[in-house]
């Protein structure tokens, strides 16, 4: 019998407050570029490094992620970090996922480049970098030198065999959750910046006003 192929799982980590089209474009780009079998959106429960709490409760951020990904069978949403008590440390998530999917699974952790910039200050950074490949999604105009200077082994290609941190440029990330929250406060439109269902859910619940 042939050797079993290593499963490749993408994990989209973030607060998703709210999830928007830029996140979906980034997940799809990573799925194709890194030949992922599935992308698991992982809304954080209580993110470390954050003094102020998120704008919305974890459950509401989770529901929006479910609505946004409902029509894509390659995308799933996990409650793992929301249900785990205490701060959402990425190393705990990766280990829990290896427990569920098996050690033979390669995890690609996708998140914003600014978050990755801080990776050396995360819990157990050496271990976290050993256990997963990190994909830093950048917005247009992002200064790559910041990442290259701060971190070891940053590569700008998906072809390299050994890198732990790979940069992925996503023009659609000109959309940001912060901008969406400001737009809602100022009664400006968010249609097409977030999926229709998310737009309706935000409106129905009066979020971010
Ligand atoms: P955040 O506040 O949601 O995002 C920081 C920046 O990255 C924002 O510009 C954000 O843009 C962007 N971003 C976030 N998630 C993204 C994604 N999946 N794809 C593309 N861009 C994304 O997130 P955070 O609190 O910095 O944390 C990011 C991830 O790192 C989370 O999974 C968190 O658990 C993990 N983390 C772990 C540790 C640790 O283990 N000690 C410490 C810090 C962070 P938008 O606002 O538009 O999303």
């Amino acid at each position: 019998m042939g050797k079993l192929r290593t499963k490749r799982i993408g994990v989209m980590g973030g607060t998703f407050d709210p999830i928007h089209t830029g996140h979906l474009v980034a997940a799809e780009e990573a799925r194709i570029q890194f030949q992922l079998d599935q992308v698991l959106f992982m809304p954080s429960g209580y993110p470390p490094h954050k003094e102020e709490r998120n704008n919305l409760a974890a459950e509401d951020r989770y529901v929006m992620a479910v609505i946004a990904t409902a029509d894509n069978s390659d995308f799933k949403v996990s409650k793992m970090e929301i249900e785990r008590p205490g701060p959402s440390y990425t190393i705990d998530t990766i280990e829990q996922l290896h427990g569920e999917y098996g050690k033979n699974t390669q995890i690609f952790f996708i998140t914003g480049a600014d978050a990755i910039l801080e990776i050396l200050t995360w819990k157990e950074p050496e271990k976290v970098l050993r256990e997963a490949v990190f994909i830093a999604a950048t917005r247009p105009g992002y200064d790559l030198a910041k990442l290259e200077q701060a971190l070891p082994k940053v590569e700008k290609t998906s072809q390299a065999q050994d890198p732990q941190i790979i940069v992925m440029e996503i023009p659609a990330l000109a959309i940001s959750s912060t901008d969406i929250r400001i737009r809602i406060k100022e009664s400006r439109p968010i249609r097409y910046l977030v999926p229709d269902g998310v737009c309706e859910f935000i409106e129905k619940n009066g979020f971010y006003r």
Side-chain angles (χ1 to χ4, degrees):
M1 237 170 53
K3 205 174 148 227
L4 275 180
R5 182 180 164 275
T6 306
K7 203 163 186 195
R8 296 161 76 89
I9 301 289
V11 178
M12 276 289 275
T15 46
F16 303 117
D17 196 11
I19 192 163
H20 54 66
T21 308
H23 296 130
L24 298 170
V25 171
E28 182 64 0
E29 180 65 31
R31 186 181 75 77
I32 299 293
Q33 220 183 101
F34 301 97
Q35 297 153 43
L36 307 175
D37 296 298
Q38 188 187 90
V39 180
L40 199 57
F41 284 72
M42 184 68 68
S44 47
Y46 170 43
H49 293 157
K50 276 207 173 156
E51 304 271 310
E52 81 244 45
R53 304 297 300 266
N54 299 308
N55 294 280
L56 285 195
E59 188 66 29
D60 292 324
R61 293 183 284 110
Y62 167 79
V63 171
M64 290 191 289
V66 170
I67 294 170
T69 56
D71 63 354
N72 187 331
S73 58
D74 296 315
F75 291 175
K76 296 228 153 40
V77 188
S78 172
K79 266 197 154 171
M80 184 179 282
E81 291 195 352
I82 289 172
E83 288 177 343
R84 201 170 56 221
S88 299
Y89 294 118
T90 300
I91 187 62
D92 298 341
T93 302
I94 291 170
E95 290 190 329
Q96 205 173 331
L97 288 171
H98 271 139
E100 279 182 19
Y101 286 89
K103 272 274 167 207
N104 198 30
T105 300
Q106 176 70 65
I107 293 176
F108 294 77
F109 193 89
I110 309 149
T111 193
D114 279 334
I116 299 249
L117 199 54
E118 305 284 314
I119 205 166
L120 297 178
T121 69
W122 291 10
K123 185 182 165 196
E124 302 186 61
E126 286 89 14
K127 196 168 178 198
V128 95
L129 283 165
R130 250 194 339 266
E131 301 265 316
V133 173
F134 282 81
I135 301 176
T138 61
R139 312 203 125 92
Y142 187 84
D143 179 12
L144 281 180
K146 275 205 287 188
L147 268 173
E148 280 154 5
Q149 281 159 14
L151 299 168
K153 282 195 179 170
V154 174
E155 298 280 341
K156 220 187 136 212
T157 165
S158 56
Q159 304 308 317
Q161 288 300 304
D162 191 32
Q164 294 131 335
I165 301 166
I166 301 169
V167 177
M168 188 175 67
E169 289 176 82
I170 306 290
L173 278 178
I175 302 171
S176 83
S177 300
T178 309
D179 177 54
I180 287 166
R181 294 194 302 267
I182 293 171
R183 282 173 165 272
I184 295 168
K185 266 209 171 64
E186 295 177 348
S187 304
R188 286 155 60 213
I190 60 161
R191 196 171 178 203
Y192 307 124
L193 299 176
V194 301
D196 284 349
V198 173
C199 197
E200 282 156 20
F201 187 73
I202 289 174
E203 218 161 85
K204 172 177 157 188
N205 289 287
F207 291 152
Y208 306 116
R209 280 201 201 130

